[in-house]
Amino acid sequence: MTTTLITGANKGLGHESARRLIAAGHTVYVGARDIERGRAAAAGLGARFVQLDVTDDASVAAAAATIEAEGGLDVLVNNAGIEVLSPEGEIIGAADLTADVMREVFETNVFGVVRVTHAFLPLLERSAAPVVVNVSSSLASLAEAGKGYPGVAYPASKTTVNMLTVQYAKAFPRLRINSVEPGYTATDLNRHAGMQTVEQGAEIIVRMAQLGPDGPTGGYFDAAGPLPW
């Protein structure tokens, strides 16, 4: 039985990925900051719930201890992420970007990935087929930078996630560690402006979460295949 943890899984892409992986036979932990919402989501899915705030060391350490005590982990999906908008609800471009905005976005999208990955690496290294999926974005691509989206903090955070993916993959060659782009999916992150459903967006997350030991690692993919860095 494959055991999978998905951060930020009480709604959106994380929730749909959990549903699909449970259907594929995984035991899934729904990781969520909010205990009430997380428990409700897990109960509805037939998943396990673990309280996990990716910005809090103690919360992440407690989640790792819980999952270790209950048998360990095979797959980690770093899905939790945020975008910070202006008080008027607008995307913050370069002219209005502040260090505080960057710090807030990076705390979840980058430091959260590092915090969670670091805590769960010892468990993953004990797995026969360990996998890490880092949810990134096509906005992270330096080759495609500047095409339409005026925001800075969110794309920069996901570009950093891509570098983390490459470096972790080199350091842990037995693990399958990849970044994925779900596509412009209607979720709370973009106030449901996305053009894809969560079912469509979760496709690449679910696919990469089920990689075997001979699968790719250190890559950057969407549903159609590799993306340019």
Side-chain angles (χ1 to χ4, degrees), residues 60-79:
V60 173
T66 295
I67 293 175
E68 181 177 25
E70 294 180 0
L73 190 69
D74 303 294
V75 179
L76 170 62
V77 180
N78 283 309
N79 168 72

Side-chain angles (χ1 to χ4, degrees), residues 2-7 21 52 54 67 73-79 112-121 124 129-135 175-178 205 208-209:
T2 300
T3 300
T4 299
L5 166 65
I6 306 175
T7 65
L21 288 169
L52 197 160
V54 303
I67 293 175
L73 190 69
D74 303 294
V75 179
L76 170 62
V77 180
N78 283 309
N79 168 72
V113 169
V114 173
R115 185 176 286 111
V116 172
T117 303
H118 179 74
F120 284 93
L121 271 171
L124 291 165
V131 172
V132 178
V133 181
N134 292 326
V135 178
L175 278 66
R176 305 295 90 185
I177 305 174
N178 295 285
I205 299 173
M208 300 306 280

Side-chain angles (χ1 to χ4, degrees), residues 8-9 18-20 22 55 61 80 88 93 95-96 98 102 125 149 160 169 174 178 180 194 208:
R19 185 188 71 79
R20 298 265 291 276
I22 289 167
T55 69
E88 297 74 35
D96 298 310
T98 65
M102 289 290 285
E125 290 189 279
Y149 187 78
T160 307
R174 200 174 66 82
N178 295 285
V180 300
M208 300 306 280

Side-chain angles (χ1 to χ4, degrees), residues 36-52:
E36 185 175 337
R37 292 177 183 176
R39 281 180 175 159
L45 289 165
R48 300 180 183 183
F49 168 67
V50 63
Q51 197 279 333
L52 197 160

